[in-house]
């Protein structure tokens, strides 16, 4: 059971002005922010990040979308972070997400589903490392990770 997960606020949620509401919901749920930045992914970076989905029919559209505007990337810390965060964000398809979850509240559709969340401890570490060097990651008491 790991203590970090990785998230992105996706471009549509950013365009709609939901980023600060989403971040407040995350910290209200007890997650600590280990690292955070706003940036725009290139198409090549989006393709690399979502490489596991490259055979899926939505891969081209997904990587176009994820590189279409700024995102916020963050590493979140909490006990059992991956599972706890997946509960907070709800199902991939917002139509199936429970009331009160981030995707139910802020997603547009299955692709533009407001936020990304890691699906395993191993992927959380890979994704965190893809975005942040160790010297941009801080513990809750302000020390480098
Ligand atoms: P995310 O949690 O970022 O991980 C993979 C992403 O692929 C997912 O959220 C959605 O944005 C996207 N996705 C998954 N399934 C579909 C689908 N059936 N159609 C379009 N996009 C999808």
């Amino acid at each position: 059971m790991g203590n970090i997960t990785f998230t992105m606020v996706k471009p549509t949620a950013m365009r709609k002005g939901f980023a600060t509401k989403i971040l407040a919901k995350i910290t209200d749920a007890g997650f600590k922010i280990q690292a955070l930045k706003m940036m725009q992914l290139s198409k090549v970076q989006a393709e690399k990040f979502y490489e596991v989905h490259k055979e899926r029919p939505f891969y081209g559209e997904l990587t176009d979308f994820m590189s279409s505007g700024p995102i916020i990337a963050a590493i979140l810390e909490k006990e059992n972070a991956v599972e706890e965060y997946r509960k907070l964000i709800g199902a991939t398809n917002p139509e199936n997400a429970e009331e009160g979850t981030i995707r139910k509240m802020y997603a547009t559709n299955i692709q533009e589903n407001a936020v990304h969340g890691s699906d395993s401890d191993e992927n959380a570490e890979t994704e965190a490392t893809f975005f942040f060097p160790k010297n941009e990651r801080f513990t809750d008491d302000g020390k480098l990770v």
Side-chain angles (χ1 to χ4, degrees), residues 10 50 53 56 58 62 92 103 110-111 113 115-117:
K10 297 189 179 186
Y50 282 112
H53 297 299
R56 308 284 281 274
F58 55 80
L62 174 65
T92 303
R103 282 171 171 161
I110 190 169
Q111 179 170 277
N113 59 354
V115 288
H116 168 78

Side-chain angles (χ1 to χ4, degrees), residues 18-145:
F18 294 151
T20 52
K21 293 179 201 298
I22 290 171
L23 290 172
K25 226 171 136 53
I26 291 170
T27 51
D28 286 351
F31 289 87
K32 305 290 183 191
I33 294 176
Q34 206 180 80
L36 181 88
K37 68 180 159 195
M38 184 167 161
M39 62 179 289
Q40 183 162 1
L41 290 170
S42 67
K43 173 80 172 167
V44 168
Q45 287 172 320
E47 285 173 346
K48 182 69 186 165
F49 184 84
Y50 282 112
E51 201 171 25
V52 290
H53 297 299
K54 69 169 178 284
E55 305 305 332
R56 308 284 281 274
F58 55 80
Y59 181 65
E61 254 187 37
L62 174 65
T63 53
D64 280 346
F65 163 59
M66 287 303 296
S67 55
S68 68
I71 55 125
I72 285 176
I75 304 173
L76 308 176
E77 189 176 338
K78 192 184 188 184
E79 205 176 304
N80 200 17
V82 166
E83 200 181 318
E84 289 293 305
Y85 191 59
R86 288 174 76 81
K87 273 192 238 159
L88 180 68
I89 67 180
T92 303
N93 186 344
E95 286 177 21
N96 304 327
E98 279 183 41
E99 287 302 327
T101 59
I102 290 176
R103 282 171 171 161
K104 185 71 177 185
M105 294 170 76
Y106 300 116
T108 302
N109 56 45
I110 190 169
Q111 179 170 277
E112 298 171 41
N113 59 354
V115 288
H116 168 78
S118 307
D119 63 4
S120 68
D121 291 342
E122 192 189 349
N123 284 340
E125 201 50 62
T126 306
E127 293 172 359
T129 306
F130 183 82
F131 278 86
F132 296 98
K134 276 271 161 107
N135 67 2
E136 292 179 6
R137 293 172 63 171
F138 297 89
T139 60
D140 191 32
D141 56 357
K143 298 196 170 67
L144 281 169
V145 165

